[in-house]
Amino acid sequence: NPGNTEHLEEAFWRTFGSDPASHGLTDREFEALVAGRSLLLVNDLLGNMTASLRAIAPTYVEKTRRRLNHFLKTGRFDTSLP
């Protein structure tokens, strides 16, 4: 269900006994870090072009583009978006 990942994030933070605020981050700042990480992953993917990575690159880049556009519009990086 796109956009319904809050329960996963809550479970993640419960596991560590913290939340973004306990690390000095606002929710917006944390979402920006996650979005930035996605850019680094795309960069690494495009810089390491083995045959298997070349095969998945177009789909991965497009999916990341849609997620980043969603982040820019909403302030939330949603990994459940297709």
Side-chain angles (χ1 to χ4, degrees), residues 54-71:
R54 273 194 306 273
I56 67 165
T59 301
Y60 189 83
V61 169
E62 178 57 23
K63 184 183 290 190
T64 301
R65 185 193 65 76
R66 286 191 305 267
R67 291 173 176 175
L68 288 170
N69 280 335
H70 177 79
F71 168 73

Side-chain angles (χ1 to χ4, degrees), residues 2-3 5 8 10-11 21 28 33 38-39 47-48 54 58 60-61 63 67 70 76-77:
T5 58
L8 297 174
E10 289 171 11
R28 174 80 175 158
L33 287 173
S38 74
L39 286 174
N48 295 294
R54 273 194 306 273
Y60 189 83
V61 169
K63 184 183 290 190
R67 291 173 176 175
H70 177 79
R76 181 140 174 82
F77 190 80

Side-chain angles (χ1 to χ4, degrees), residues 6-27:
E6 288 84 12
H7 67 284
L8 297 174
E9 291 179 27
E10 289 171 11
F12 171 84
W13 289 112
R14 250 192 333 274
T15 299
F16 291 103
S18 66
D19 60 14
S22 64
H23 298 279
L25 299 169
T26 65
D27 287 341

